[in-house]
Amino acid sequence: MPSPQKQTYTIDYIYSLPDGQRAELIDGQIYDMAPPSARHQDIIFSLSRKIADHIDKKKGACKIYLSPYAVFLNADDRNYVEPDISVICDKNKLDDRGCHGAPDWVIEVVSPSSQKMDYGIKLFKYRTAKVREYWIVNPMTRSITVYDFENDEKTQQYAFQDDIPVCIYDDLVINIEKLL
């Protein structure tokens, strides 16, 4: 007997959600998103300010976007994510709807409800979509996992108090503890 089929969704479903309800779509499957905590928001704000200041100081071409910001990882209607922070250096990927293709750098801040997504499903999707660098910031363990997909998928573990070199910028180091 064949197993029951899961319903497959498209981006149209995401756009039909009521205002305020957030979800991501990965390979046609819906993943509801819980509202972020104050700590989560503090980390996102502090990191984004540090990154934006660096880009501005260097007169860089990259743009930084905070969730909720649509990222269409694949050229299909079955994948839609909202990374906590997206750094996009190719302006041709951007339009009024969001980013079409992989951001250069994605940062996800883990919450108790997002661990499986951030460490598993999204890790796979970001790597296969050709995101250059992926950070998973875990406030519960005060740790950061950095994936440098451009350089043989090099992975490093850091603590909040460590100076973390940014892979896509040779001259940027971030210490999360000093930001908070």
Side-chain angles (χ1 to χ4, degrees), residues 59-75:
K59 298 185 182 354
C62 300
K63 303 277 285 175
I64 185 169
Y65 294 95
L66 307 180
S67 182
Y69 182 74
V71 173
F72 306 95
L73 284 174
N74 306 95

Side-chain angles (χ1 to χ4, degrees), residues 105-153:
W105 182 13
V106 169
I107 300 173
E108 294 284 8
V109 178
V110 175
S111 64
S113 64
S114 74
Q115 290 187 73
K116 180 180 176 184
M117 287 290 293
D118 295 335
Y119 285 104
I121 295 168
K122 284 186 176 180
L123 170 63
F124 174 77
K125 290 305 286 185
Y126 292 149
R127 181 178 58 227
T128 57
K130 305 286 190 232
V131 167
R132 294 169 56 199
E133 181 170 359
Y134 177 39
W135 285 26
I136 303 173
V137 179
N138 190 327
M140 297 163 288
T141 62
R142 298 181 50 79
S143 65
I144 304 92
T145 306
V146 175
Y147 295 91
D148 180 359
F149 295 135
E150 272 192 320
N151 296 301
D152 299 322
E153 299 182 26

Side-chain angles (χ1 to χ4, degrees), residues 4 8 18 39 62 88 146 151 163 175:
T8 301
R39 177 85 169 143
C62 300
I88 301 141
V146 175
N151 296 301
D163 291 334
N175 182 308

Side-chain angles (χ1 to χ4, degrees), residues 96 104 162:
D96 285 342
D104 292 87
D162 292 335

Side-chain angles (χ1 to χ4, degrees), residues 47-58:
L47 279 168
S48 63
R49 184 175 57 198
K50 175 78 172 177
I51 297 163
D53 287 349
H54 178 78
I55 292 169
D56 290 346
K57 180 180 168 188
K58 297 292 183 173

Side-chain angles (χ1 to χ4, degrees), residues 6-17:
K6 290 185 196 177
Q7 183 170 352
T8 301
Y9 296 89
T10 66
I11 291 168
D12 290 337
Y13 178 80
I14 294 290
Y15 284 103
S16 74
L17 292 173

Side-chain angles (χ1 to χ4, degrees), residues 32-50:
D32 292 317
M33 299 172 70
S37 68
R39 177 85 169 143
H40 186 274
Q41 293 296 84
D42 287 342
I43 292 169
I44 292 169
F45 176 77
S46 297
L47 279 168
S48 63
R49 184 175 57 198
K50 175 78 172 177

